[in-house]
Amino acid sequence: MKHIVVTLDEKVVVGVSAKTSNEDPKMTEIIGGLWDTLYNTGIYGLIKNKRNEYAIGLYSDYTEDGGYTVTAGVEVGTPDNKDLTVKVIPAGKYAKFEVRGDVHTAVSEAWKDIWSMDLERSYTGDFEEYLTSDMDNAQIDIYIALK
């Protein structure tokens, strides 16, 4: 899977979060539940100071045992929602992968490829940026934080 290396400025994300791991049998259910909560309970509409309409799936707070925090949200200029999670995507170098296709299949396949690659990952915050809302022909950029 091809990628380019880009340098990004810091991003602030507001949304909803949960902890999981790739070994958690409920991982898919947990992540899907976050997206359901974000969009189907009105939270997305309540997020203030959005920089754009792109949804972000952020993976952060990696632990030695393979755990991590998942946040479903959007980038904001200034966080101003007291009851929601605020996460910072650090400025730095990222491997950028462009993913196109069915949102569930394409993202899942891309992550399988990424996990098998020999990238010099920093594990400071990896994220998916959903550029369209077309579930069947989605455009998603996946960014992997590099050392």
Side-chain angles (χ1 to χ4, degrees), residues 48-109:
K48 301 173 186 174
N49 306 317
K50 291 181 188 91
R51 286 202 178 252
N52 55 52
E53 297 300 312
Y54 304 149
I56 290 181
L58 171 63
Y59 305 86
S60 63
D61 307 310
Y62 288 93
T63 61
E64 301 242 347
D65 65 356
Y68 49 86
T69 298
V70 181
T71 303
V74 293
E75 181 183 3
V76 299
T78 304
D80 193 19
N81 289 88
K82 292 181 173 66
D83 296 332
L84 297 177
T85 301
V86 176
K87 293 284 184 182
V88 175
I89 299 171
K93 285 191 330 183
Y94 290 80
K96 176 184 176 184
F97 299 85
E98 293 182 0
V99 179
R100 305 294 181 257
D102 174 79
V103 71
H104 302 291
T105 307
V107 170
S108 175
E109 290 299 317

Side-chain angles (χ1 to χ4, degrees), residues 19-41:
K19 292 185 183 291
T20 190
S21 74
N22 290 354
E23 275 62 45
D24 185 341
K26 294 187 176 186
M27 177 193 70
T28 303
E29 182 181 324
I30 290 167
I31 294 173
L34 289 174
W35 290 108
D36 186 56
T37 298
L38 180 68
Y39 284 110
N40 296 329
T41 64

